[in-house]
């Protein structure tokens, strides 16, 4: 092993002598480099060399290279690069190659080598790396795209990029991202050639003919099979993505028409197709006006365009009654309603259209659950609370197991000061799963605190602390309510009555600690009791609880700092694993005054 290490170190001696001769390194620095390289080489020759050893060596060489670059700039020396930098670059490539050969599945290692080559402009090496990378990881479309983009943008080779895309599509015939990037590359290539022809002084007719690619533009370059492959990508979303790419180029009008024609022919039953066609109506040019265009005229033109879009949605719903179609229509109406306008007529039209669409979708039984929340919020904003209550009653009938729907209905009834809150709540509990009922109970106790007397609220809390679903959170709320309404003694009485009633939450004890500390003369004896009970339940997993106890002993006027050592010892014994390390670190910061 030693002879191999020695040989590699000796190979660097001419390079170091050259660096010392030209003044880029001192003799002391050269000896330090030899010492460091020897240590790193021995690490790589161990029987169990780790990937980190290679990465450490590579990083050292890169830092070394960066240092030489900065020193060249500082002293203005630009010679002997082939004898110095080139040798170091080759050594780094060799280290990457050795590491990659051992861990070929490590994609990050490959990408690090690629990034290094791009930074130092190693084009020949990068071409080989991409070739090897794609041979080992042909199952990742993103790598094919990366390689093709490099060929097209850096190497300026559209043919090499095209061949890479075609090879990639043989491995991934259903990858939408590959088709999109291939399509974009071909259009960029056409644009580049078009500009070249303009610069060369081609006739206007030739330029127009070349700059108007049809749908077959990419198909011809792909061997005539591109159109057939597109059929492998389901849904209208893919065709719409191609259309959005084509729109970025100002010479693709014919191509856009072809794609739109395909979209309507292949995806007439897709809701995204109709959504796109409807929104296209908004981009239509307004009718010409003889008089100067006023704000009122603009509002009227916009209202007409929105009405045309609405008709397209209505046409689609005539043959495509699906939840997704209604969702897109409602979303469109809501977007238009939220847009700012100074025209009261236009605002009213948008409002009426939105409310009408929501009602129709609900009547069809296809309004998504989330849209009921938007509908109710709109009705409440319009001060139509009773209509909102009716909508929510219908929504809970349609989604009887939805906690969100029942919660929204109860909140609305509480806002309207309705008398049948309790009846609706009882009905909700019969339909909602027991394990999901906590949000409803929480809402109910908050309502009870505001609307009912203390005895009724107390009775409700005492019932809920015995319910296994609500017991943890309700103990905290019960304690807090007792303190807010009846004072410290009542809170302490509640705590004492519940301190043996498991299960607990940590918040139950910390809330009682905070209540004690809120008093003008808090007693350390009581705080110790609360901390001890909390640590009995949660001390094995909560290092911060131990630290709070220690901090209390140090800061409270009745505290005993001499107890901190015993608390620290107990914490070390009880805590385990990472919790011990976290506690020790924070305890050290506490002692030094940094916590």
């Amino acid at each position: 092993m030693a002879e191999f290490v020695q040989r590699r170190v000796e190979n660097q001696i001419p390079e170091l002598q050259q660096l010392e001769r030209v003044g880029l390194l001192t003799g002391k620095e050269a000896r330090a480099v030899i010492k460091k390289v020897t240590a790193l080489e021995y690490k790589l020759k161990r029987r169990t060399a780790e990937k980190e050893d290679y990465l450490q060596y590579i990083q050292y060489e890169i830092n070394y290279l960066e240092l030489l670059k900065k020193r060249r700039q500082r002293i203005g020396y630009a010679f002997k690069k082939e004898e110095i930098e080139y040798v170091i670059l080759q050594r780094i490539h060799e280290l990457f190659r050795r590491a990659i050969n051992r861990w070929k599945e490590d994609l990050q290692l490959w990408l690090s080598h690629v990034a290094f080559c791009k930074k130092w402009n190693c084009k020949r090496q990068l071409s080989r790396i991409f070739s090897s990378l794609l041979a080992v990881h042909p199952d990742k479309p993103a790598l094919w795209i990366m390689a093709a983009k490099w060929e097209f943008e850096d190497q300026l080779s559209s043919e090499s990029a095209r061949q890479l895309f075609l090879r990639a599509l043989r491995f991934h015939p259903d990858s939408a991202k590959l088709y999109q990037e291939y399509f974009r590359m071909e259009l960029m290539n056409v644009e580049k050639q078009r500009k070249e022809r303009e610069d060369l002084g081609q006739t206007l007719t030739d330029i127009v003919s070349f700059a108007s690619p049809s749908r077959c533009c990419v198909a011809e370059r792909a061997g005539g099979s591109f159109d057939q492959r597109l059929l492998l990508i389901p849904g209208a979303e893919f065709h719409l993505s191609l259309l959005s790419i084509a729109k970025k180029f100002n010479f693709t009008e014919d191509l856009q028409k072809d794609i739109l024609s395909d979209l309507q022919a292949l995806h007439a039953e897709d809701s995204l197709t109709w959504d796109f066609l409807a929104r296209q109506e908004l981009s239509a040019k307004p009718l010409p006006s003889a008089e100067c265009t006023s704000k009122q005229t603009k509002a009227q033109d916009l209202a007409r365009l929105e009405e045309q879009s609405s008709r397209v949605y209505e046409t689609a719903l005539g043959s495509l009654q699906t939840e997704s179609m209604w969702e897109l229509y409602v979303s469109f109406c809501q977007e238009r309603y939220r847009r700012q306008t100074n025209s009261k007529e236009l605002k009213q039209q948008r409002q009426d259209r939105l409310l009408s669409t929501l009602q129709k979708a609900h009547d069809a039984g296809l309004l998504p659950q989330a849209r009921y929340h938007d509908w109710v919020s709109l009705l409440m904003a319009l001060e139509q609370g009773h209509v909102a209550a009716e909508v929510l009653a219908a929504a809970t009938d349609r989604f009887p197991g939805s906690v969100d729907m029942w919660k929204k209905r109860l909140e609305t009834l509480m806002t309207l000061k309705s008398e049948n809150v309790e009846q609706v709540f009882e009905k909700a509990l019969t339909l909602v799963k027991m394990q999901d009922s906590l949000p409803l109970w929480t809402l109910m106790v908050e309502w009870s605190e505001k609307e009912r007397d203390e005895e009724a609220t107390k009775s409700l809390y005492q019932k809920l602390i015995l319910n296994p679903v609500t017991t943890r959170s309700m103990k905290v709320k019960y304690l807090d309510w007792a303190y807010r309404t009846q004072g410290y003694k009542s809170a302490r009485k509640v705590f004492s009555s519940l301190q043996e009633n498991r299960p607990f939450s940590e918040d139950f004890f910390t809330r009682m600690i905070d209540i004690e500390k809120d008093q003008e003369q808090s007693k350390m004896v009581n705080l110790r009791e609360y901390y001890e009970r909390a640590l009995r339940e949660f001390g094995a997993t909560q290092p911060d609880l131990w630290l709070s106890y220690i901090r209390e002993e140090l800061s409270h006027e009745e505290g005993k700092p001499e107890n901190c050592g015993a608390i620290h010892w107990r914490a070390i014994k009880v805590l385990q694993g990472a919790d011990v390390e976290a506690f020790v670190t924070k305890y050290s910061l506490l002692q030094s005054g940094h916590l």
Side-chain angles (χ1 to χ4, degrees):
M1 179 175 72
E3 58 270 21
F4 290 107
V5 173
Q6 191 64 29
R7 186 180 66 184
R8 290 183 182 276
V9 174
E10 288 177 356
N11 288 340
Q12 294 192 35
I13 291 177
E15 167 199 326
L16 293 170
Q17 290 174 342
Q18 188 72 263
L19 287 167
E20 191 175 350
R21 189 179 306 117
V22 299
L24 292 174
L25 283 182
T26 64
K28 183 177 180 181
E29 288 173 334
R31 289 189 293 273
V33 169
I34 291 175
K35 184 177 180 182
K36 182 65 175 179
V37 168
T38 303
L40 291 170
E41 285 288 350
Y42 271 113
K43 279 188 176 183
L44 299 191
K45 287 299 178 181
R46 291 184 303 184
R47 183 172 298 176
T48 58
E50 300 291 337
K51 182 168 54 179
E52 287 70 22
D53 299 331
Y54 282 92
L55 295 176
Q56 185 180 5
Y57 197 170
I58 290 168
Q59 189 60 55
Y60 173 77
E61 292 285 5
I62 292 174
N63 293 341
Y64 181 34
L65 197 59
E66 292 279 4
L67 175 65
L68 295 180
K69 181 181 178 181
K70 290 180 180 179
R71 288 193 175 180
R72 278 185 180 278
Q73 293 174 348
R74 189 178 64 192
I75 67 176
Y77 185 79
F79 306 101
K80 302 287 185 181
K81 288 190 176 182
E82 289 189 2
E83 300 175 21
I84 300 174
E85 275 86 351
Y86 179 77
V87 176
I88 300 173
L89 285 171
Q90 292 302 110
R91 193 159 59 242
I92 294 173
H93 288 310
E94 175 65 15
L95 287 169
F96 268 118
R97 185 188 63 79
R98 290 165 62 188
I100 287 171
N101 284 342
R102 295 191 64 172
W103 295 282
K104 291 183 178 180
E105 73 286 349
D106 190 335
L107 187 58
Q108 189 57 48
L109 200 55
W110 287 95
L111 295 178
S112 297
H113 197 186
V114 169
F116 172 77
C117 291
K118 285 183 177 180
K119 182 176 180 180
W120 292 93
N121 199 29
C122 304
K123 293 184 178 181
R124 185 178 301 176
Q125 289 283 351
L126 188 53
S127 182
R128 295 173 185 170
I129 292 167
F130 274 128
S131 179
S132 301
L133 173 59
L134 295 175
V136 176
H137 296 280
D139 58 326
K140 297 177 175 61
L143 299 181
W144 290 96
I145 294 172
M146 182 191 299
K149 280 189 174 182
W150 179 75
E151 289 287 352
F152 183 74
E153 297 173 2
D154 296 287
Q155 296 294 86
L156 303 178
S157 176
S158 58
E159 186 57 36
S160 297
R162 184 178 298 119
Q163 292 303 318
L164 279 170
F165 273 121
L166 292 175
R167 286 177 56 200
L169 289 171
R170 284 196 288 272
F171 284 98
H172 307 280
D174 56 349
S175 172
K177 187 65 176 176
L178 271 174
Y179 284 108
Q180 291 164 1
E181 294 301 326
Y182 184 16
F183 185 67
R184 182 182 285 108
M185 187 274 293
E186 289 291 4
L187 290 178
M188 290 172 66
N189 187 39
V190 170
E191 184 178 41
K192 182 177 71 171
Q193 295 181 27
R194 174 175 170 269
K195 289 181 179 179
E196 289 175 354
R197 292 198 176 200
E198 289 178 349
D199 294 339
L200 291 173
Q202 295 285 329
T203 64
L204 181 62
T205 305
D206 291 339
I207 294 172
V208 172
S209 175
F210 183 81
S212 302
S214 67
R215 181 181 55 191
C216 300
C217 169
V218 180
E220 292 172 358
R221 291 166 172 78
S225 61
F226 195 79
D227 282 346
Q228 287 74 23
R229 290 177 178 177
L230 294 182
L231 299 176
L232 297 173
I233 311 297
E237 185 176 359
F238 173 65
H239 270 77
L240 290 172
S241 69
L242 295 184
L243 191 58
S244 66
I245 293 171
K247 284 183 176 181
K248 295 178 181 179
F249 300 86
N250 59 8
F251 55 85
T252 59
E253 292 82 1
D254 294 339
L255 181 59
Q256 292 177 42
K257 292 177 182 177
D258 289 339
I259 296 174
L260 188 57
S261 176
D262 284 349
L263 178 68
Q264 293 175 283
L266 297 174
H267 305 291
E269 298 300 317
D270 195 311
S271 56
L272 289 176
T273 300
W274 289 100
D275 183 56
F276 173 79
L277 294 174
R279 291 175 183 272
Q280 280 289 96
E281 295 293 331
L282 292 176
S283 60
K285 294 182 179 179
L287 294 173
S289 178
E291 57 186 17
C292 295
T293 305
S294 63
K295 291 184 178 180
Q296 183 179 1
T297 305
K298 288 182 179 179
Q300 290 173 352
D301 289 339
L302 190 54
R304 178 180 53 80
L305 295 176
E306 290 180 2
E307 184 61 32
Q308 290 175 359
S309 297
S310 182
R311 288 198 200 99
V312 175
Y313 281 113
E314 296 288 350
T315 302
L317 288 166
S319 59
L320 195 63
Q321 281 282 344
T322 62
E323 185 173 301
S324 61
M325 190 69 249
W326 278 109
E327 165 67 19
L328 291 170
Y329 190 15
V330 170
S331 178
F332 168 80
C333 294
Q334 198 167 43
E335 287 174 18
R336 304 311 300 178
Y337 175 74
R338 288 174 177 171
R339 291 180 68 89
Q340 296 293 326
T341 179
N342 294 325
S343 173
K344 294 182 179 180
E345 294 80 4
L346 181 58
K347 184 71 173 177
Q348 187 63 43
Q349 288 178 13
R350 289 173 174 175
Q351 177 183 305
D352 294 341
R353 184 182 296 113
L354 176 56
L355 291 173
S356 174
T357 304
L358 288 165
Q359 185 64 55
K360 290 177 181 178
H362 168 69
D363 294 340
L366 295 171
L367 183 64
Q369 182 176 331
R371 291 298 176 184
Y372 282 97
H373 292 274
D374 299 332
W375 191 4
V376 169
S377 298
L378 175 60
L379 291 171
M380 294 297 288
L382 297 174
E383 298 182 353
Q384 298 181 23
H386 294 292
V387 179
E390 293 175 2
V391 169
L392 284 168
T396 51
D397 289 340
R398 186 180 167 201
F399 304 102
S402 172
V403 176
D404 288 338
M405 283 287 95
W406 284 107
K407 184 179 177 183
K408 186 69 175 177
R409 184 179 177 185
L410 286 168
E411 288 173 343
T412 303
L413 292 176
M414 292 174 187
T415 303
L416 297 173
K417 305 292 184 180
S418 176
E419 297 179 355
N420 60 342
V421 172
E422 291 187 65
Q423 292 87 338
V424 173
F425 177 72
E426 291 173 0
K427 182 180 179 181
L429 289 181
T430 61
L431 297 172
V432 173
K433 293 180 180 178
M434 177 67 72
Q435 60 268 27
D436 299 331
S437 62
L438 178 58
L440 300 181
W441 284 113
T442 303
L443 185 63
M444 197 61 187
V445 295
E446 291 173 357
W447 173 79
S448 181
E449 289 179 7
K450 295 177 181 178
E451 303 296 332
R452 300 199 299 181
D453 56 57
E454 291 184 2
E455 284 300 320
T457 303
K458 181 178 180 181
S459 176
L460 179 60
Y461 271 122
Q462 289 177 342
K463 173 185 175 182
L464 292 178
I465 60 177
L466 300 177
N467 187 328
V469 175
T470 61
T471 180
R472 281 188 173 89
S473 61
M474 288 303 162
K475 284 173 184 172
V476 182
K477 293 183 74 66
Y478 185 22
L479 180 64
D480 187 65
W481 173 79
Y483 177 61
R484 284 187 288 107
T485 57
Q486 300 173 3
Y488 171 75
K489 290 184 179 180
S490 177
R492 182 166 171 78
K493 183 177 180 181
V494 169
F495 178 82
S496 300
S497 66
L498 297 177
Q499 62 183 355
E500 296 296 339
N501 187 4
R502 290 179 176 83
F504 297 111
S505 67
E506 186 182 354
D507 291 340
F508 177 67
F509 296 101
T510 56
R511 180 57 187 143
M512 191 62 220
I513 291 170
D514 291 339
I515 290 172
E516 181 68 40
K517 291 164 70 173
D518 281 344
Q519 308 309 305
E520 292 184 5
Q521 294 182 342
S522 61
K523 296 181 180 179
M524 191 62 202
V525 175
N526 293 339
L527 288 173
R528 287 194 188 100
E529 176 191 349
Y530 305 147
Y531 273 114
E532 290 294 340
R533 295 203 61 83
L535 290 171
R536 191 183 308 170
E537 301 291 335
F538 304 102
T541 58
Q542 298 296 332
D544 289 341
L545 201 56
W546 293 97
L547 288 166
S548 297
Y549 192 7
I550 292 172
R551 192 184 290 110
E552 206 66 57
E553 289 285 8
L554 292 172
S555 61
H556 198 279
E557 59 183 9
E558 297 179 4
K560 295 181 179 180
E562 60 269 22
N563 292 347
C564 294
I567 298 172
H568 178 274
W569 180 82
R570 287 169 56 198
I572 295 296
K573 298 290 286 183
V574 172
L575 293 168
Q576 296 180 354
D579 290 333
V580 177
E581 296 178 9
F583 172 76
V584 171
T585 301
K586 292 181 179 180
Y587 182 72
S588 300
L589 292 173
L590 180 64
Q591 285 186 313
S592 62
H594 293 89
L595 186 66

